[in-house]
């Protein structure tokens, strides 16, 4: 019997690579023959020769889509999904809750779908597979770099012959992986950093990385909003109203706000209303890592765009920041996806075991059945008030 084939697929507009050349070694060691779509690594500065040097073969998109195991970063176009069928497994950040129709069709055609978003993030042995966390860490770092580019002053305290320039005051909303990385990066760059999260354990982490915890009237530090799986529980209507009012008052004291609060399988919580952003001084900057098709943490943010409000505040809708650091993001993602593939394989072939905890989380469809609630037609969970991914978008954002 011929060795099973793993194919590395590119996604239009995506600069990250699902597999870096060094990752080919891991797949071949697991008994797979590796095909890489020509040019699939170009966005991350990997050439086809880099892959063939590790024993992969380059191939057309059609050939890759016919592989037993198809690896991607983000979801392929619907036309590609329609070509998948029985005996094939698609692995990637598939976003099953967003426009589930094309994925549902692939599931009904018999393809196995493994969504990295479903990796159990509180399970220690799954950490190497946690793509949401790895990509969120990249995004949190880049969020501060983008804020510094847009800000009209210095981040650190500077003492010059012309006088003293005060440091920027930077607020991070949401202390998951992205938020904590943003705090750490801003701290290293010399900003005066404050963080906010509704979970008590996250507030402790904010202090542990050198930031102050936001204190403002209406933000009850004694409130325990911790939920399951490391995420925050949904806030009540009164809690959400009090939170937004308090943040609107507090935000005016900051030069930069980085918003990094996301929830699993639901729209991100609205934290900074348009009124709150209007209260910030002209020249202030808001970077919204949650900005996406279902909204963001900052009301004025527009996904993928940088806008300026009438009051002179720059708002950056930055839900896909990890892709702007493609080399580092690809290296981390490649380790995540090879770790998951190794977990799915038995004797070189995918062996689905829905009783196993990790597979139960990531396998969104198998054997012609849709397993993820969104693919099965279940209603979307309600928006949460200030939930923050414990390990991210991912903060995934995402991824």
């Amino acid at each position: 019997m011929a060795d099973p084939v793993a194919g590395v697929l590119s996604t239009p507009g995506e600069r990250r690579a699902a597999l870096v050349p060094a990752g080919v070694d891991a797949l071949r060691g697991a008994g797979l023959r590796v095909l890489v779509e020509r040019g699939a690594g170009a966005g991350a500065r990997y050439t086809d020769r880099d892959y063939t040097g590790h024993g992969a073969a380059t191939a057309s998109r059609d050939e890759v889509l016919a592989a037993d195991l198809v690896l991607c970063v983000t979801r392929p176009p619907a036309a590609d999904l329609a070509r998948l069928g029985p005996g094939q497994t698609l692995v990637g950040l598939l976003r099953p809750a967003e426009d589930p129709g094309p994925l549902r069709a692939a599931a009904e055609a018999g393809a196995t779908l493994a969504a990295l978003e479903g990796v159990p993030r509180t399970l220690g042995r799954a950490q190497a597979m946690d793509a949401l966390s790895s990509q969120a860490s990249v995004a949190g770092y880049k969020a501060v770099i983008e804020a510094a580019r847009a800000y009209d002053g210095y981040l650190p305290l500077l003492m010059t012959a012309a006088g003293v320039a005060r440091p920027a005051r930077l607020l991070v909303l949401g202390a998951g992986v992205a938020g904590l990385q943003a705090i750490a990066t801003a701290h290293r760059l010399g900003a005066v950093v404050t963080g906010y999260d509704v979970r008590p354990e996250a507030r402790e982490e904010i202090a542990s990385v050198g930031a102050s915890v936001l204190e403002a009237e209406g933000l009850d530090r004694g409130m325990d909003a911790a939920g399951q799986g490391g995420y925050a529980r949904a806030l009540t209507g009164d809690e959400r109203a009090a939170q937004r009012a308090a943040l609107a008052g507090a935000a005016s004291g900051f030069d930069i706000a980085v918003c990094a609060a996301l929830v699993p399988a639901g729209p991100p919580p609205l934290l900074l209303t348009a009124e709150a952003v209007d209260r910030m001084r002209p020249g202030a900057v808001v970077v919204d890592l949650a900005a996406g098709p279902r909204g963001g943490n900052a009301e004025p943010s527009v996904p993928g765009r940088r806008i300026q409000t009438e009051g002179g505040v720059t708002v950056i809708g930055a839900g896909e920041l990890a892709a702007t650091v493609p080399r580092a993001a690809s290296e981390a993602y490649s380790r995540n996806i090879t770790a998951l593939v190794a977990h799915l394989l038995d004797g070189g072939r995918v062996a689905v075991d829905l009783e196993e905890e990790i597979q139960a989380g990531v396998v969104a469809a198998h054997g012609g059945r849709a397993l993820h609630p969104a693919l099965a037609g279940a209603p979307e969970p309600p928006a949460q008030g200030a939930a923050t991914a414990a390990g991210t978008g991912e903060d995934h954002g995402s991824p």
Side-chain angles (χ1 to χ4, degrees):
M1 182 181 295
D3 289 339
V5 177
V8 181
L9 190 71
S10 67
T11 304
E14 174 62 65
R15 295 174 61 193
R16 290 170 292 181
L19 190 75
V20 301
V24 174
D25 300 332
L27 295 187
R28 293 183 68 214
L32 297 168
R33 187 162 60 91
V34 182
L35 297 181
V36 179
E37 182 186 352
R38 295 183 187 95
R45 308 294 186 185
Y46 294 112
T47 67
D48 290 346
R49 184 176 296 179
D50 292 331
Y51 288 99
T52 57
H54 282 264
T58 57
S60 68
R61 191 172 187 85
D62 289 344
E63 291 171 314
V64 170
L65 283 167
D68 303 289
L69 187 64
V70 180
L71 310 181
C72 61
V73 179
T74 53
R75 184 202 299 191
D80 290 340
L81 291 172
R83 300 176 61 179
L84 301 177
Q88 290 185 280
T89 300
L90 177 69
V91 184
L93 290 168
L94 304 182
R95 297 180 177 175
E98 296 179 17
D99 186 22
L103 286 176
R104 186 182 298 121
E108 292 171 350
T112 295
L113 306 177
L116 280 158
E117 293 93 337
V119 169
R121 308 181 73 194
T122 57
L123 191 64
R125 61 194 175 91
Q127 289 181 356
M129 312 169 198
D130 188 356
L132 290 182
S133 289
S134 74
Q135 302 306 289
S137 183
V138 176
Y141 158 81
K142 190 60 181 291
V144 176
I145 303 304
E146 289 297 308
R149 289 180 59 193
Y151 180 52
D152 59 6
Y154 295 115
L155 260 63
L157 169 71
L158 287 182
M159 303 182 67
T160 72
V164 177
R166 69 167 179 82
R169 293 164 296 186
L170 190 145
L171 173 64
V172 177
L173 300 177
V177 169
L180 291 173
Q181 184 61 255
I183 289 172
T185 302
H187 185 68
R188 287 192 294 267
L189 291 176
V192 176
V193 190
T194 301
Y196 169 72
D197 198 289
V198 294
R199 296 164 300 148
E201 67 274 17
R203 293 195 284 267
E204 294 175 5
E205 292 178 328
I206 289 169
S208 74
V209 290
S212 301
V213 178
L214 181 65
E215 295 186 42
E217 185 177 352
L219 295 179
D220 183 1
R221 295 188 64 193
M223 180 179 68
D224 186 353
Q228 296 182 346
Y231 292 90
R233 65 168 172 81
L235 300 187
T236 66
D238 288 344
E239 287 173 335
R240 287 197 299 270
Q243 179 192 64
R244 291 172 186 169
L247 290 176
S252 62
F254 292 91
D255 304 299
I256 297 170
V258 174
C259 303
L262 288 166
V263 299
L270 175 61
L271 301 180
L272 293 181
T273 63
E275 178 189 0
V277 174
D278 284 342
R279 291 188 186 184
M280 299 178 75
R281 71 163 186 83
V285 178
V286 176
V287 180
D288 190 355
L289 289 174
R294 293 186 290 175
N297 295 152
E299 191 171 16
S301 66
V302 179
R305 289 185 56 194
R306 171 174 164 171
I307 65 171
Q308 190 169 94
T309 68
E310 291 184 4
V313 178
T314 298
V315 181
I316 303 172
E320 303 292 343
L321 268 190
T324 68
V325 193
R327 185 87 173 199
S330 297
E331 289 173 351
Y333 185 81
S334 179
R335 290 191 289 270
N336 299 143
I337 205 167
T338 53
L340 178 59
V341 167
H343 188 76
L344 294 173
L345 295 179
D346 182 7
R349 297 187 180 276
V350 172
V352 174
D353 177 7
L354 296 176
E355 298 298 318
E356 194 277 323
E357 191 171 4
I358 295 175
Q359 292 202 32
V362 301
V363 178
H366 178 66
R369 291 192 304 130
L371 303 172
H372 189 280
L375 302 187
E380 183 179 281
Q384 300 185 38
T388 307
T392 54
E394 111 249 212
D395 311 70
H396 4 276
S398 314

